[in-house]
Amino acid sequence: MANPLIIVESPAKAKTLGRFLGGKYDIRASMGHVRDLPKSTLGIDVDHSFKPEYVTIPGKEATIKELKAAAKGASEILLASDPDREGEAIAWHLAHVLNLKNPQRIELHEITPSAVEKALNALRPMNQDLVDAQQARRVIDRLVGYKLSPLLWKKIRKGLSAGRVQSVAVRLVVEREEEIEKFVPVESWTLDAMLSKVDQPRIFGARLYSKQGAEEKLELTEEGQVREIMAQLDGASYKVLSIETKDSMRNSPPPYKTSTLQQDASSRLRMKPNRTMSLAQQLYEGVELGALGPTGLITYMRTDSFRISDEASTAARHFITEQYGPTYARRDKIEYKAKGSVQDAHEAIRPTDIERTPDSVRGFLTPDLLRLYRLIWQRFTASQMSPARFAQTRVDIGAADYLFRANGSVLVFDGFYRVWERDSDNDEEKELPALDVDEPLNLQELKPEQHFTQPPPRYTEASLIKALEELGVGRPSTFAPTVEVIQTRHYVKQEERRLSPTDLGKTVNDWLVEHFPDIVDTTFTASMEEELDDVEEGRRKWVPIVREFYAPFAKTLTKAEATARVKVPMRETG
């Protein structure tokens, strides 16, 4: 009897599924999309409801032939591409190519035996809303790219291109550079008393805070003011006026979603966002674990949700209790809230099995895969652990008419820091010596220091992704490619991990701001993302959304074609 056919995107995913399903299923890979809009023409009929013209992607003919042959002899055909807009679109195109009347979808949020079994028992029909949301994005982005790019070629320089999300990202980088260039530093001063107990050599610092008895903090704006205070303190005795100690807790960070994983991998591992997503895809689809065979190590890596399943949370607490003791496991289930519009179709990014520690798979993973898996494992484990507890101390010290203040804290219980690296550079976490009220102190040195306010820092790849997410521009699937493309197109360059605009980037941005303000407007772009979410959720149809976008866009194109000034051709720098 013929076996059912399961079609996935990649050979790695096919191999992992094959291990679970044995010889009961024929599992094939489509190698991603099989159809798309043509490269050489617009491929959209703007006069007939923006109907897309889909063509076979060059080079995919052999794959399609193989899939058709496999489908002909199959008892059933199941489409198991990724559980998001792009995956649904891949399945939809496969259904058209294979002429499937009622295509069945398998939704896999993690590739484990239990998840696969559950998914096979919960087959669902094609979700046309998901497909339409992907089509709307693809059509709008094609209209922007193919209509606007030739105008950039004509008005600025050949070979240029524009994109809906990328143009906003370039604008953010350009405007940050303008802020830095216009920044005027403001001078300020601090005065620190370096003190010690009478009978101990250990020195600690206390900062001048105010006049004694005054409520407002003393602002030091010039050197003369500081020198005058230092003269008044000459020969003064220092004494502890008050000590305030209180307990405080620091909660664990939430598990990763796509954007925060990209940010942390960038800052902690020095990993580019595209590289992070490529490695995460491998961890999701399956990695060879010796005798175990190909095994999916993490849940689906494109998500904007912090949600964790009850089963995963329970398993994590059991593991934490066994490994570190009952005091380390969270007693309550914490609900982490994500900002803005969240789809919540997928869980947060977590290990598929908490018992599979990074050290247990060390021998099977490449160094980069291991580093990323360790980061995900530690973050998820920490998220299910007890808060860290501190004893915070604030000491007020009097000298002449002035009040100095020293802050410090002692880690009483490490909690989630048992697995998550602690930032030891935090001034608030400096330990102070044991002190008593009215205790005299010895002054070792008065340290005046001049400061100047700093301009906002240039974006890093991580902080640009964070800014895009906070503004509601883009979605988990678009952050990494957006940050990559603005660099490959030489609109933005990276030096010492900081992003700055090239001359070309500034020129293109200025021209777009002048002639196509909506395209580079963060609010407009964010509202477009919300409209695409509405399509995905079945609240709106995709064609009216495209029409509402295209009508004013087409008018602006015509006007810019006639009136936009021709710029001097720019060469990219860097």
Side-chain angles (χ1 to χ4, degrees), residues 39-51:
K39 281 200 169 182
S40 56
T41 60
L42 179 64
I44 295 163
D45 189 343
V46 295
D47 297 319
H48 295 89
S49 298
F50 302 94
K51 185 180 179 182

Side-chain angles (χ1 to χ4, degrees), residues 424-443:
S424 58
D425 296 330
N426 191 331
D427 285 340
E428 292 296 310
E429 293 182 17
K430 298 289 187 285
E431 193 171 346
L432 298 173
L435 298 167
D436 294 310
V437 174
D438 293 332
E439 180 177 352
L441 299 169
N442 287 342
L443 176 68

Side-chain angles (χ1 to χ4, degrees), residues 5 9 12 33 53 75 109 114 124 129 164 174 205 208 252-253 256 272 275 280 352 410 427 430 433 459 526:
L5 171 66
E9 297 102 325
H33 277 279
E53 174 205 336
S75 61
H109 299 273
S114 60
R124 65 166 176 80
D129 294 331
R164 203 172 47 83
V174 170
L208 178 64
S252 55
Y256 284 128
K272 291 181 75 64
R275 175 70 172 154
T352 53
V410 178
D427 285 340
K430 298 289 187 285
Y459 286 110

Side-chain angles (χ1 to χ4, degrees), residues 257-541:
K257 54 182 181 174
T258 304
S259 60
T260 54
L261 175 63
Q262 290 172 3
Q263 290 162 42
D264 258 14
S266 176
S267 57
R268 288 173 177 256
L269 307 181
R270 299 296 177 94
M271 207 174 269
K272 291 181 75 64
N274 264 355
R275 175 70 172 154
T276 298
M277 294 310 289
S278 172
L279 293 169
Q281 184 96 30
Q282 292 178 53
L283 292 171
Y284 162 70
E285 291 185 340
V287 179
E288 287 283 351
L289 296 185
L292 274 178
T295 304
L297 295 183
I298 65 168
T299 54
Y300 193 55
M301 63 285 153
R302 291 189 184 92
T303 176
D304 55 7
S305 172
F306 290 131
R307 180 174 58 80
I308 292 294
S309 72
D310 290 340
E311 295 89 342
S313 181
T314 301
R317 292 179 208 198
H318 176 75
F319 173 84
I320 292 161
T321 299
E322 292 291 310
Q323 291 294 313
Y324 309 113
T327 55
Y328 282 91
R330 280 201 85 95
R331 292 185 179 87
D332 58 321
K333 185 181 178 184
I334 189 165
E335 297 289 344
Y336 297 102
K337 296 292 184 186
K339 292 179 183 175
S341 174
V342 177
Q343 297 304 291
D344 207 45
H346 317 295
E347 286 187 61
I349 304 166
R350 61 166 175 81
T352 53
D353 183 354
I354 188 75
E355 304 268 350
R356 199 172 282 120
T357 64
D359 286 342
S360 73
V361 296
R362 176 191 293 274
F364 305 105
L365 303 185
T366 63
D368 276 356
L369 278 173
L370 179 63
R371 289 164 71 219
L372 189 64
Y373 181 65
R374 186 183 299 281
L375 191 69
I376 292 167
W377 186 92
Q378 288 176 334
R379 178 71 164 228
F380 170 67
T381 305
S383 77
Q384 304 302 302
M385 294 179 76
S386 301
R389 294 201 308 274
F390 294 85
Q392 286 191 322
T393 305
R394 189 180 84 185
V395 180
D396 285 350
I397 296 158
D401 289 333
Y402 294 96
L403 184 145
F404 288 78
R405 179 165 287 173
N407 292 297
S409 68
V410 178
L411 183 65
V412 176
F413 173 65
D414 57 357
F416 71 92
Y417 284 128
R418 185 75 180 265
V419 298
W420 189 248
E421 187 180 345
R422 181 179 165 211
D423 179 9
S424 58
D425 296 330
N426 191 331
D427 285 340
E428 292 296 310
E429 293 182 17
K430 298 289 187 285
E431 193 171 346
L432 298 173
L435 298 167
D436 294 310
V437 174
D438 293 332
E439 180 177 352
L441 299 169
N442 287 342
L443 176 68
Q444 303 296 328
E445 181 188 5
L446 273 177
K447 283 177 65 176
E449 190 172 349
Q450 184 184 36
H451 306 272
F452 289 96
T453 52
Q454 297 297 308
R458 288 189 174 112
Y459 286 110
T460 60
E461 289 184 330
S463 62
L464 182 57
I465 286 170
K466 185 178 181 182
L468 289 169
E469 183 184 38
E470 287 178 347
L471 291 165
V473 174
R475 285 295 179 261
S477 60
T478 63
F479 294 134
T482 297
V483 169
E484 187 75 17
V485 78
I486 62 175
Q487 295 176 72
T488 57
R489 288 179 175 164
H490 304 292
Y491 295 154
V492 168
K493 61 185 176 183
Q494 186 173 185
E495 292 173 344
E496 297 180 351
R497 305 188 74 240
R498 296 283 172 181
L499 301 174
S500 59
T502 62
D503 289 341
L504 178 65
K506 290 177 185 176
T507 300
V508 171
N509 176 73
D510 290 349
W511 191 85
L512 288 173
V513 168
E514 183 179 352
H515 300 289
F516 291 86
D518 281 351
I519 293 295
V520 287
D521 181 69
T522 55
T523 304
F524 177 84
T525 307
S527 67
M528 178 67 69
E529 296 292 353
E530 289 175 2
E531 289 178 339
L532 293 174
D533 291 345
D534 285 342
V535 175
E536 179 171 331
E537 296 299 320
R539 292 187 290 265
R540 292 193 65 184
K541 296 298 182 185

